[in-house]
């Protein structure tokens, strides 16, 4: 793990040691943007860490720029919330926008773009409202048969990108609708500058942090540290993660050695052979039913098992034809 990232995750004095080791090998003037994004997250420790640093002014300038950019993008988010509400669509903020509002000051989480989540039935209305407001779409909305395969469409205005999502994490197409409903259930209000916005529950937010696709953004470990785990109902989170993003559980286990993060021991889900077999077959049945446009039911599952068993028996019959 990068020492700069460890400076955020570790408690003192290990955090300062990680910073000192990272700083001794770096030229501030040639740092990549991904490293610069981590500087605002370290603001609480900067008064001591930068006391004798000749590049202190540069580092503080990066932080001020990040704060100013965030204020502009938060204002734009409030405008977009009002725009979509007027179009009779209730947007839910997510991604870096929501994670920044969950970051405890004075640390700053950079907002590189805006992420809005809406029900798939409202996506066309929301997209039309954005286009009429001068936002340029990067690509067309999916066809009626393709909603389960895509998850968002992007819009741009000047140098700002808005991702309009109907689903926040990648799942098999047969799980798409259930995943969307799960993330839209239990939304909560979050405030910025006396403006109330809606965002996903703390459990869904943590799952998104751990499973989101990241293109040049902060590493997921940083967002877990910044958003924190306060208020997480761990059984609810585990149910969501096991259903839609098992990778999230493994990633949290990677962070447990960092005592600064309040992550409890996570019970392992190690089913016996019979239960594993059932899960595997049920998953295949779900995919089978999805492609055949059939509703899930026990009679359909029994028929699927009968056909699968018959095929297995046919393949087990030895051929009596002589080899050529």
């Amino acid at each position: 793990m990068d020492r700069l990232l460890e400076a955020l995750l570790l408690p003192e004095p290990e955090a300062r040691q990680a910073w000192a080791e990272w700083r001794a090998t770096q030229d501030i003037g040639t740092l990549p943007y991904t490293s610069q994004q981590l500087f605002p997250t370290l603001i609480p420790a900067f008064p001591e860490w930068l006391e004798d640093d000749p590049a202190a002014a540069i580092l503080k300038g990066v932080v001020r720029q990040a704060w100013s950019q965030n204020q502009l993008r938060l204002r734009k988010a409030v405008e977009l919330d009002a725009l979509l509400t007027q179009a009779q669509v209730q947007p839910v903020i997510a991604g870096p926008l929501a994670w920044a509002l969950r970051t405890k000051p004075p640390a700053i989480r950079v907002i590189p773009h805006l992420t809005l989540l809406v029900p798939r039935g409202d996506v066309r209305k929301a997209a039309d409202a954005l286009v009429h407001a001068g936002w340029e779409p990067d690509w067309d909305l999916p066809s009626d048969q393709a909603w389960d395969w895509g998850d968002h469409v992007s819009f741009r205005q000047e140098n700002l990108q808005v991702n309009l999502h109907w689903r926040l994490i990648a799942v098999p197409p047969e799980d798409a609708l259930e995943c969307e409903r799960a993330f839209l259930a239990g939304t909560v209000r979050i405030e910025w500058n006396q403006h109330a916005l809606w965002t996903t529950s703390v459990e869904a937010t943590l799952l998104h942090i751990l499973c989101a696709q990241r293109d040049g953004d902060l590493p997921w470990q940083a967002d877990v540290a910044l958003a924190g785990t306060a208020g997480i109902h761990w059984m609810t989170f585990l149910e969501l993660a096991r259903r839609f993003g098992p990778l999230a559980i493994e990633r949290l286990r990677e962070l447990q050695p960092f005592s600064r993060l309040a992550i409890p021991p996570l019970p392992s889900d190690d089913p016996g052979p019979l239960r594993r077999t059932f899960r595997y077959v049920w998953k295949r049945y779900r995919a089978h039913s999805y492609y055949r446009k059939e509703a899930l039911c026990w009679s359909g599952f029994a028929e699927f098992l009968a056909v699968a068993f018959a095929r297995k028996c046919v393949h087990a019959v030895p051929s009596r034809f002589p080899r050529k």
Side-chain angles (χ1 to χ4, degrees), residues 223-270:
D223 276 315
V224 174
L226 293 170
T229 57
I232 295 285
H233 187 279
W234 288 104
M235 289 308 299
T236 300
F237 169 79
L238 287 172
E239 289 176 7
L240 274 175
R242 287 169 181 161
R243 182 71 181 86
F244 302 114
L247 173 65
I249 301 173
E250 298 305 315
R251 286 186 163 178
L252 279 182
R253 289 197 178 107
E254 289 180 30
L255 293 181
Q256 284 178 331
F258 295 94
S259 58
R260 183 175 173 181
L261 306 177
I263 301 173
L266 301 174
S268 61
D269 184 25
D270 188 17

Side-chain angles (χ1 to χ4, degrees), residues 97-213:
L97 171 61
W99 306 339
L101 289 178
R102 290 192 183 276
T103 296
K104 186 177 180 180
I108 297 172
R109 202 284 180 202
V110 174
I111 306 174
H113 56 264
L114 303 183
T115 300
L116 302 176
L117 174 67
V118 300
R120 70 162 67 182
D122 291 338
V123 172
R124 294 195 184 278
K125 285 195 298 184
D128 288 343
L130 290 171
V131 169
H132 283 103
W135 291 85
E136 294 287 337
D138 288 338
W139 58 83
D140 295 333
L141 291 175
S143 63
D144 292 340
Q145 294 77 29
W147 288 97
D148 293 341
W149 298 88
D151 56 25
H152 78 284
V153 62
S154 295
F155 297 81
R156 296 180 188 275
Q157 191 177 85
E158 298 177 352
N159 65 338
L160 180 58
Q161 176 179 326
V162 171
N163 295 325
L164 182 65
H165 281 257
W166 54 96
R167 188 169 56 262
L168 290 174
I169 63 175
V171 295
E174 60 268 22
D175 293 334
L177 274 173
E178 290 185 22
C179 180
E180 292 163 27
R181 295 188 188 111
F183 272 81
L184 287 170
T187 54
V188 295
R189 288 164 65 94
I190 192 168
E191 291 193 0
W192 174 76
N193 200 20
Q194 298 184 335
H195 294 283
L197 302 167
W198 288 95
T199 188
T200 54
S201 68
V202 289
E203 294 81 15
T205 297
L206 180 58
L207 183 60
H208 187 205
I209 287 173
L210 292 163
C211 296
Q213 295 182 353

